[in-house]
Amino acid sequence: MLGLMQDWPLVISKIIDYAASQHGSREVVTRSVEGPVTRSDYASVRRRALQVAQRLVREGISPGDRIATLAWNTARHLEAWYGITGAGAIYHTVNPRLFPEQIAWIIDHAQDRIVLVDLTFVPLLEALADKLPTVERYIVLTDAAHMPETKLRNAIAYEQWIGEVDGDFRWLDVDERAAAGLCYTSGTTGHPKGVLYSHRSNVLHSMALAAPDALGLASRSCILPVVPLFHANSWSIAFSAPMTGAKLVMPGARLDGASVFELLESEQVTCTAGVPTVWSMLLQYMEAEQRRLSSLQRLVVGGSAAPRSMIEKFEAYGIEVFHAWGMTEMSPVGSIGSIKPALGALRGDALIDVKCKQGFAPFTVEMKITDETGRPLPWDGKSFGRLKVKGPAVASAYYRSDDPILDEAGYFDTGDVATIDTNGYMSITDRSKDVIKSGGEWISSIELENLAVGHPDVAEAAVIGVAHPKWGERPLLVITPKPGRSPRSEDLLAFMSGKVARWWLPDDVQIVEALPHTATGKLDKVKLRERFRAHRLPSA
């Protein structure tokens, strides 16, 4: 027997319809690529998204066609997402931080028909245009006054493009399981892999992320997504904010500490989310200028682990900090680090210990850890295992690939090594490819890196395994010092001593000017391992 409820499809257009209807005057603020801060609202975003959808249909775009966006976090980019999906097409967010060859490959692999591009990236596409045979025209996200001269095929300014239609349009009817978004992973080996989100997966994921234990969004909230729309589906904030009526502040291209602080303070932002690199710059600015944020309540860290010292400093400013972990394949959020009632009495170091973990799985995510044979391991906070997940917003396959990615029980192997404690809090120990195997035991590079960054002279740290004749491999610590500082290797090791097991301590320290990073800002350990492949440890 089926329930007697209405069949109300979980499609993305419902989100912006609701936002315009119930929170139409709620602001969407943008630091524009052209420079000035501009102001819109959800009613305007919907109206202009309808123009985008209408214009795409006039271009001959059909349901299922891919439309690429190469753009910063702005209101125009937001409008494009809703307009593209409202026309039944698929938004394909292209990460401009990838290598040019990778950008050309993924646009060609996705067979994008149109590219919407910010002014910043027009030269990049001009250099790649002859490698993009499927692209029929380029829409530059600006107005006629700022439109550059360009040789891009059939290029037109966005404002002129949508100005040619009146917005008298009805969203196309699509199945909630229809594809809505496409985002490619930024793996350091092989070609990127396409993750194809559905309307349903986006809506369910966004509802989970808006909940009190996650972003905690409400119509009274104001959120600034530092995480780009082109990175891992923007952590669904482009959907969660309108869904709740939260004020949305888009930072554009300026993500330095001073610029982020200015928007956080001037717009009275209550919640923000992004990667540790940006939070480090923000923290340095606040410390140097001796400034505090008067409204910020919650700062969510993802992409990579926040150093303990960073969490402690933000918490000292009265800002609640916690991790959100996930992957492109998970839409992307898979865990959230808010504090459960059972741990509510914790204070001081004990509380920070929990905040250093990646958190617990929200509703819609099932999680387990297994050994190498696939046998489930206990949630005791000690057993290391391969982290596996399943749920309605977890990928079941990669776009245009026949390779299976799920195990027999339908779980996706994240490639992370983790523990889960008795309260359900998961802690990433390492990527399976980065964990250091010394004498048959595992050493967490992440834990050593977070410890090293706590030293007052260290700006950034990476730990990799280096070949050792007796132990197989041993940890090598590579750091970049803070400006004007000159830390000594022996001082760094002394600082770390006593804070981890003695046999975990790095066998050597190397000081470099800069560490390599991937397109998403994570440490590029493939390049580091290549650089130090022939390094000889003193203990060897």
Side-chain angles (χ1 to χ4, degrees):
M1 179 183 293
L2 298 178
L4 299 176
M5 295 291 107
Q6 295 181 16
D7 187 8
W8 194 80
L10 301 179
V11 293
I12 289 171
S13 60
K14 298 285 190 185
I15 298 174
I16 199 62
D17 283 349
Y18 170 80
S21 172
Q22 294 294 334
H23 308 285
S25 62
R26 199 66 165 125
E27 280 191 311
V28 177
V29 181
T30 295
R31 189 191 296 281
S32 67
V33 176
E34 293 86 352
V37 172
T38 63
R39 296 183 183 276
S40 181
D41 56 36
Y42 285 128
S44 297
V45 169
R46 180 182 183 273
R47 174 176 54 80
R48 288 164 61 84
L50 282 164
Q51 289 178 273
V52 172
Q54 186 180 15
R55 194 65 180 82
L56 287 170
V57 171
R58 180 176 291 189
E59 292 276 356
I61 295 300
S62 300
D65 284 344
R66 276 74 64 204
I67 309 297
T69 64
L70 192 66
W72 299 105
N73 287 13
T74 66
R76 287 179 176 138
H77 197 177
L78 184 71
E79 296 160 6
W81 273 30
Y82 283 101
I84 291 166
T85 55
I90 301 166
Y91 64 85
H92 169 207
T93 52
V94 180
N95 186 343
R97 295 169 181 159
L98 294 172
F99 295 117
E101 296 79 11
Q102 290 179 310
I103 292 174
W105 187 89
I106 66 174
I107 291 177
D108 185 61
H109 187 262
Q111 299 177 320
D112 295 319
R113 291 186 58 187
I114 291 177
V115 178
L116 287 85
V117 56
D118 262 331
L119 289 167
T120 315
F121 308 119
V122 168
L124 172 61
L125 286 182
E126 286 177 331
L128 298 176
D130 61 348
K131 300 177 182 177
L132 309 175
T134 66
V135 178
E136 299 164 15
R137 81 174 315 175
Y138 296 85
I139 315 300
V140 183
L141 292 164
T142 191
D143 54 26
H146 294 89
M147 182 67 181
E149 291 187 9
T150 178
K151 296 180 181 179
L152 290 174
R153 187 180 304 118
N154 297 320
I156 187 173
Y158 175 79
E159 295 297 336
Q160 179 184 345
W161 183 67
I162 65 170
E164 295 175 359
V165 294
D166 58 11
D168 184 9
F169 184 80
R170 181 178 181 273
W171 304 123
L172 267 63
D173 291 327
V174 296
D175 188 286
E176 66 177 23
R177 290 175 174 79
L182 178 62
C183 186
Y184 281 74
T185 64
S186 54
T188 53
T189 57
H191 286 305
K193 299 177 179 65
V195 180
L196 191 60
Y197 309 116
S198 68
H199 285 260
R200 179 177 184 269
S201 71
N202 271 332
V203 171
L204 291 173
H205 181 269
S206 303
M207 292 172 70
L209 191 64
D213 264 328
L215 296 178
L217 296 183
S219 59
R220 300 168 297 284
S221 306
C222 176
I223 184 166
L224 187 153
V226 168
V227 55
L229 270 72
F230 58 71
H231 180 206
N233 211 27
S234 184
W235 301 2
S236 281
I237 295 171
F239 304 130
S240 295
M243 180 183 287
T244 57
K247 176 180 174 180
L248 187 56
V249 181
M250 303 295 241
R254 289 169 54 183
L255 298 177
D256 59 280
S259 297
V260 171
F261 181 93
E262 179 190 346
L263 279 182
L264 289 171
E265 186 63 14
S266 64
E267 298 302 327
Q268 291 293 283
V269 172
T270 59
C271 178
T272 187
V275 298
T277 307
V278 176
W279 302 141
S280 177
M281 292 188 291
L282 174 63
L283 194 57
Q284 289 175 33
Y285 173 81
M286 293 171 65
E287 291 175 332
E289 300 297 323
Q290 297 185 353
R291 300 190 67 182
R292 301 177 69 95
L293 289 161
S294 62
S295 62
L296 189 63
Q297 300 168 8
R298 181 169 289 193
L299 186 149
V300 183
V301 186
S304 56
R308 185 186 188 93
S309 58
M310 177 185 291
I311 298 174
E312 291 173 333
K313 289 177 181 178
F314 275 121
E315 293 268 342
Y317 280 111
I319 300 168
E320 179 189 16
V321 179
F322 65 75
H323 282 103
W325 165 86
M327 310 176 67
T328 303
E329 291 90 341
M330 298 184 70
S331 298
V333 178
S335 70
I336 47 179
S338 59
I339 302 302
K340 292 182 179 182
L343 305 175
L346 295 179
R347 297 291 184 272
D349 287 344
L351 179 60
I352 300 299
D353 287 344
V354 177
K355 287 181 174 286
C356 285
K357 298 184 179 185
Q358 278 59 59
F360 60 92
F363 179 68
T364 69
V365 176
E366 297 180 40
M367 182 180 291
K368 67 178 179 179
I369 50 174
T370 72
D371 63 17
E372 292 298 322
T373 68
R375 181 177 62 89
L377 296 174
W379 290 16
D380 56 13
K382 300 176 182 178
S383 301
F384 289 57
R386 301 184 71 93
L387 181 61
K388 299 180 180 181
V389 293
K390 69 188 302 187
V394 179
S396 61
Y398 289 119
Y399 178 61
R400 295 182 61 190
S401 171
D402 296 327
D403 296 334
I405 64 172
L406 305 182
D407 66 15
E408 293 180 353
Y411 280 83
F412 173 76
D413 189 333
T414 66
D416 284 317
V417 176
T419 63
I420 304 178
D421 67 21
T422 54
N423 290 299
Y425 284 77
M426 182 270 294
S427 182
I428 300 291
T429 304
D430 239 319
R431 293 291 290 168
S432 59
K433 60 187 177 183
D434 293 335
V435 68
I436 299 165
K437 301 179 181 66
S438 178
E441 299 289 343
W442 285 358
I443 298 175
S444 169
S445 67
I446 293 176
E447 189 166 342
L448 292 176
E449 289 160 3
N450 289 339
L451 182 57
V453 172
H455 190 283
D457 293 344
V458 176
E460 192 173 25
V463 174
I464 57 173
V466 173
H468 192 281
K470 179 178 180 181
W471 303 112
E473 58 182 3
R474 291 290 300 158
L476 168 69
L477 172 62
V478 186
I479 68 109
T480 57
K482 288 182 177 177
R485 305 291 181 89
S486 301
R488 299 186 307 166
S489 299
E490 54 267 34
D491 293 337
L492 292 171
L493 293 175
F495 173 79
M496 299 172 71
S497 181
K499 299 180 175 70
V500 293
R502 184 174 179 83
W503 62 274
W504 273 39
L505 287 174
D507 281 24
D508 196 11
V509 180
Q510 293 290 300
I511 300 173
V512 298
E513 290 185 3
L515 290 170
H517 293 82
T518 68
T520 54
K522 298 178 182 179
L523 289 168
D524 191 338
K525 294 192 177 180
V526 172
K527 288 185 178 178
L528 267 184
R529 282 191 285 267
E530 182 62 31
R531 177 175 176 179
F532 291 99
R533 184 180 301 277
H535 183 77
R536 183 175 177 82
L537 296 169
S539 60

